[in-house]
Amino acid sequence: MPAPFIRLLALLSLLSGGLAFAEPWKKAQPGTSTEQQVRGLFGAPTREQSAPGELVLIYEGEEALSGTRRAHFHLETKSRRLRRIDVFPGTVPTRDTVERMFGPGCSHSGSRKASCYEVKLSSRNEPYFHYVARGLAVFFSDGDVQSLAYLPRGRGRQARSADIAPPEVENEPEPATVPENPDGRVDSNVPGPAPVEVATVDDAPTPPQPAETSSEPETNDSPFAELRPATIAGEDTVQTGPASGTVTTGPPPLNEPKDTPQPETFRTARPDVLTLGGYYFQRADVLLTRRASDSATVAQPVFPALVDVYLDFRPQENLRTYVVGRLIYDPLDPNFSTPKTNLDKLWLYFGLFEQVFVTAGRQHVKWGSSRIWNPTDFLRAPNPDPLGVFDLRTGVDMVKVNIPFESLAANLWVVGTANLEDTPEGGLPQIRYGGAVRAEVALGTSELIATAAFLERRRPRYGLDYSLGVGVFDLNAEVALVQDSDLRLWTRGDEGFVVRPRTGFQVQASGGIAAQLRVADTYRTVLRLEGFYNQLGSDDRGLLTWLQTTGDYRPLFFGRMYGLAQLSVTARSNYEPTVSLTALGNVSDASYLGRLDLSFSKDNVAVAGFVEAPFGASGSEFRFQPDLSVAELPREDMGLFRVGLNLRLRL
C-alpha cells in the first residue's frame, strides 16, 4: 500500500478517535438518541417526570432494565433528544471493578491517560469519579457505588473543571452488596464497604501503587457487564493497565480490605435471573349520598384490597418473561367478599438480529398523548376512572413487533390480537381477531404518530397523534376517524330510541396544553387544560337513562364536548408531596366533577388521599337521576361527595 495512503488512513483514524461523541449505554447515546429511539430500545417507562427544560423517563420496578434497579433517561423538552443517562446498578461494584471497566485514576505527576478519572466532591459532599474523556461520572454514597451518569464527552481544561450534579434519588431500593453462601453465612472473601477519602492538593500523597490489572478482560459473565459502555476505537480507548513508569493516585479502595480479591471473585456473582416481587394496594373510600326514599344522608364505605405478584425471568439480554397475577378482595362488597384472582400480564420478549423486537402475550399498552381522553387508544376500552391512582384494567392479549429505524428517528409497530368472546346464543366462545399498524417519527421538537386498527366485525379505524414542546409549554392533539363503536349507538326516533345507522366516518378528537413552572426553585407547578370532542356522543339527557337500561353507557364518552382543567404543585423534598386540583366536566350536559388530591411517597410506600364532589344540573351525567318518562327505573341515591385514602406498598 502506498505510504501517502497509509498516512491518510492514520490521520483519519486519529481524527475519528478524537471526536467528542457521547459514551453510549445499551445503544442509547446522549446528545444523539431521540425519545422515540429510547422508547424503541427499552419500551414504555414505568413513569415520566417533568422538570424545567427536560423530561425524565424512569425505568424501575417491573420495567427495570437488565443489570439495574432503575435507570433515568433525561430528554431535552424542546428537541426531545437524550442529554443524560443515570444508571443505578443492581449489584454494587467495587472501585477495582470500576477501574478495570473504565480506566484508572489520572496521574498527577506524569503523563495523563485518555481514559482516567479525577476524584471530585459532589454537592452532597460525596466523592465521585469523573472520566472527562469518556463523558462518565461514577457517584458514591456511604462508600458504595450509587449510580453512573453518562453524558456527552468533554475536552480541555473547562471540561475537566466542570462539576457534574448527582442524580436525584427517590424511593431508592437497597441494592445487593454482599452475596451469601447457600447456608446463609456471609462470605468473608467478599469485601465489605469502607469509607472513601478524597485526595486533594493539600493532602499528603499516598504511596504510588500501580493499578492492578487482570490477565483476562472483563467478560459478559460479570454482573457489572451491563454497565460497560461500548468502546470507541481511537485515542480514548481504555487501557487495562498503566504504561511503564506511570502511577495512579486517588482514594483508597471503596469495598476492598487489605487482601484484594482476584477478578475471578467478582465473576462468580451473577445478576438475579429470576426476580420475585409485588405490590399491595389498599383503598378506603366513603361515598356520602342523599337517599332517594327519605332524603336522609347515608355513608357507603368500601375497603377493597389488591395484591399484584410478579415473576421476572431474564436469562439473557434480549430474552425476558414477565408474569403478574392479581388478587382482589373487599369484605364490604358482595361481589368481592370472596377473593377473586385474574392474570394481569404474561408475556415473552425477545430480539431478532438486534433489529426486530417481539413481545407476545398479555401486556399493557396505552396509545395517545392526552391525559384523560385517548380516542386513538384502539386496543382497549377507556379507563372508567382516569383520575384514580390505580388503573384496574388488565393487559391485552397480543403479539407486538417493533422495528426501530434509528437513522430516521422512527419506529414501526405491528400488532396482532386474538380474544375469546361469548356468543349471543350462549354457545361456545369464539375467537375474535384483530390488529394494528402504528408508525412513529420524531420531527425536531415534535412527534407524529399514525395508527390504523382492524378488528373482526368492525370497520377499520384510523388515528393521528401529534405532540410538540415549545419552551415551558407542551402541546398535544389526537384525532380518530371511526365508523362504529364496540357499544351500540342509539338515537331518539318517532317511537322511542332506536339503534343509530352507520353514516360514514365520525370524528373523535382530544387535545391539550400544559405549562411547567418553577416557583422559587422549591415548588414545581404544572397547569394543564384538555378538551374532547366526540361526534358519536349526544346532548340528549333522556338518552342517558336509556343507555343505563341497555348497558351501553360509557363514562366520559356519553356527551359531545368535555373539558378538563388541572393544577398540580409538587414540593421538592424527600417525600415529594403533591397537591392537585382538578375540574372535569361534560360541557354539553352542564355536568361537572371537582376533585382535590394530596399524595406523598417515601422509600417503598406511597400514600394518596382525595375528596371529590359532583355539581351541575340534577339528572345530568355526574348527578344522574333516571328520567321516568324514558324508562321505569328505580330512583337512585344522589351522590354528595366521595372521600378516600389509598396506600401502595412495594413488596
Side-chain angles (χ1 to χ4, degrees):
M1 184 178 293
F5 187 67
I6 295 177
R7 287 194 293 269
L8 177 61
L9 288 179
L11 177 61
L12 292 176
S13 299
L14 289 174
L15 291 176
S16 63
L19 292 177
F21 292 115
E23 194 78 46
W25 182 74
K26 288 183 179 288
K27 299 183 180 180
Q29 190 168 7
T32 303
S33 298
T34 64
E35 177 184 3
Q36 286 307 306
Q37 289 172 333
V38 171
R39 293 178 182 269
L41 288 170
F42 309 112
T46 308
R47 57 191 174 95
E48 300 179 8
Q49 182 174 303
S50 298
E54 72 172 10
L55 172 69
V56 185
L57 306 183
I58 300 177
Y59 294 81
E60 60 184 357
E62 304 174 2
E63 290 79 19
L65 306 179
S66 177
T68 73
R69 60 187 186 275
R70 69 164 46 178
H72 297 181
F73 293 83
H74 299 257
L75 303 161
E76 295 180 355
T77 303
K78 295 183 178 180
S79 65
R80 295 288 177 171
R81 294 200 176 272
L82 185 63
R83 56 175 293 268
R84 171 171 171 161
I85 308 172
D86 288 319
V87 178
F88 297 79
T91 305
V92 174
T94 65
R95 174 210 171 176
D96 179 73
T97 304
V98 170
E99 288 191 345
R100 286 187 289 108
M101 291 176 66
F102 304 113
C106 297
S107 172
H108 295 279
S109 58
S111 60
R112 178 183 296 269
K113 293 186 180 306
S115 181
C116 63
Y117 63 78
E118 297 278 358
V119 181
K120 299 181 179 179
L121 273 178
S122 70
S123 57
R124 296 173 181 163
N125 203 32
E126 294 275 8
Y128 70 94
F129 292 172
H130 187 192
Y131 290 88
V132 179
R134 277 187 171 274
L136 175 69
V138 182
F139 291 94
F140 301 92
S141 177
D142 297 328
D144 293 327
V145 174
Q146 178 203 50
S147 65
L148 297 90
Y150 293 85
L151 304 149
R153 284 199 250 182
R155 294 192 177 278
R157 182 176 302 175
Q158 184 177 1
R160 288 195 295 272
S161 61
D163 292 327
I164 309 300
E168 295 186 5
V169 183
E170 55 181 28
N171 305 333
E172 182 64 10
E174 290 296 328
T177 54
V178 182
E180 296 184 352
N181 289 326
D183 59 1
R185 294 180 295 101
V186 176
D187 192 339
S188 60
N189 292 325
V190 180
V196 180
E197 300 176 6
V198 180
T200 62
V201 177
D202 298 329
D203 290 339
T206 58
Q209 297 290 336
E212 293 188 10
T213 61
S214 171
S215 59
E216 314 175 26
E218 190 86 12
T219 68
N220 289 333
D221 292 334
S222 168
F224 314 116
E226 297 292 344
L227 307 178
R228 181 193 299 279
T231 302
I232 300 177
E235 67 176 13
D236 293 338
T237 302
V238 179
Q239 300 182 25
T240 59
S244 177
T246 62
V247 295
T248 60
T249 60
L254 302 174
N255 287 333
E256 196 172 300
K258 295 181 179 180
D259 297 327
T260 304
Q262 297 301 316
E264 287 74 10
T265 304
F266 300 102
R267 211 168 281 126
T268 58
R270 298 181 62 87
D272 293 335
V273 174
L274 178 64
T275 304
L276 172 66
Y279 295 89
Y280 174 81
F281 179 68
Q282 179 68 65
R283 283 177 50 200
D285 296 0
V286 177
L287 174 63
L288 266 70
T289 62
R290 181 180 295 115
R291 196 156 50 199
S293 60
D294 56 6
S295 298
T297 300
V298 295
Q300 301 176 9
V302 292
F303 197 69
L306 180 148
V307 176
D308 278 355
V309 177
Y310 67 84
L311 296 172
D312 190 359
F313 180 60
R314 309 187 195 192
Q316 59 189 49
E317 173 67 20
N318 285 330
L319 182 62
R320 182 182 181 189
T321 300
Y322 196 79
V323 183
V324 178
R326 175 168 295 175
L327 181 145
I328 303 176
Y329 169 69
D330 187 350
L332 306 179
D333 188 338
N335 296 323
F336 296 102
S337 58
T338 299
K340 294 187 177 181
T341 60
N342 56 36
L343 183 66
D344 183 32
K345 301 178 186 177
L346 193 159
W347 47 258
L348 171 68
Y349 166 85
F350 58 91
L352 299 175
F353 312 109
E354 297 187 352
Q355 299 294 329
V356 179
F357 305 93
V358 182
T359 309
R362 179 167 296 185
Q363 51 196 290
H364 283 189
V365 60
K366 180 186 180 297
W367 289 348
S369 55
S370 294
R371 169 71 173 83
I372 303 296
W373 296 277
N374 298 115
T376 61
D377 194 0
F378 295 133
L379 296 185
R380 61 177 181 172
N383 186 359
D385 185 18
L387 296 180
V389 298
F390 198 89
D391 188 349
L392 293 176
R393 294 176 297 174
T394 57
V396 180
D397 298 322
M398 71 176 86
V399 176
K400 181 174 62 179
V401 180
N402 172 223
I403 306 174
F405 299 91
E406 295 188 13
S407 60
L408 302 176
N411 277 281
L412 177 66
W413 303 83
V414 180
V415 178
T417 63
N419 295 307
L420 280 175
E421 296 186 353
D422 295 331
T423 57
E425 297 78 13
L428 293 176
Q430 295 182 352
I431 300 178
R432 191 179 187 186
Y433 295 99
V437 178
R438 183 176 175 90
E440 308 171 345
V441 60
L443 305 171
T445 62
S446 65
E447 178 185 27
L448 179 64
I449 303 173
T451 308
F454 313 93
L455 185 64
E456 234 181 337
R457 301 187 296 277
R458 278 201 66 177
R459 299 289 183 91
R461 293 161 290 169
Y462 307 97
L464 283 177
D465 188 349
Y466 183 73
S467 57
L468 172 68
V470 181
V472 298
F473 297 98
D474 290 325
L475 301 94
N476 77 280
E478 52 180 300
V479 179
L481 298 178
V482 300
Q483 302 180 66
D484 54 14
S485 173
D486 54 348
L487 299 176
R488 289 174 296 179
L489 301 175
W490 298 84
T491 186
R492 189 186 291 268
D494 296 335
E495 299 181 357
F497 291 98
V498 296
V499 176
R500 185 190 307 180
R502 293 175 177 172
T503 57
F505 282 107
Q506 305 288 297
V507 176
Q508 292 181 311
S510 67
I513 179 172
Q516 304 174 26
L517 307 174
R518 179 76 69 178
V519 180
D521 200 34
T522 304
Y523 300 96
R524 183 174 69 247
T525 303
V526 178
L527 174 63
R528 178 164 184 80
L529 302 175
E530 184 172 315
F532 175 52
Y533 170 71
N534 180 23
Q535 195 173 354
L536 296 178
S538 173
D539 53 8
D540 185 349
R541 190 172 294 172
L543 179 60
L544 186 60
T545 300
W546 181 258
L547 295 180
Q548 295 284 354
T549 64
T550 62
D552 294 318
Y553 170 69
R554 173 169 287 166
L556 300 178
F557 280 78
F558 162 73
R560 282 184 176 269
M561 293 290 298
Y562 288 87
L564 168 108
Q566 187 176 66
L567 176 66
S568 298
V569 179
T570 302
R572 294 175 61 89
S573 74
N574 292 333
Y575 296 94
E576 288 207 348
T578 301
V579 178
S580 298
L581 181 62
T582 305
L584 181 150
N586 181 343
V587 180
S588 58
D589 192 37
S591 183
Y592 305 95
L593 182 70
R595 179 173 171 125
L596 176 66
D597 288 87
L598 173 64
S599 64
F600 64 89
S601 60
K602 177 65 174 178
D603 297 328
N604 295 321
V605 180
V607 179
F610 73 91
V611 57
E612 67 178 25
F615 56 96
S618 177
S620 59
E621 182 172 6
F622 296 111
R623 302 189 69 214
F624 174 71
Q625 285 295 318
D627 185 348
L628 299 182
S629 65
V630 174
E632 292 291 336
L633 291 177
R635 293 192 61 83
E636 294 190 1
D637 297 345
M638 176 68 73
L640 300 178
F641 70 89
R642 185 165 67 111
V643 60
L645 187 66
N646 306 301
L647 173 67
R648 186 173 185 265
L649 303 176
R650 180 173 180 176
L651 305 179

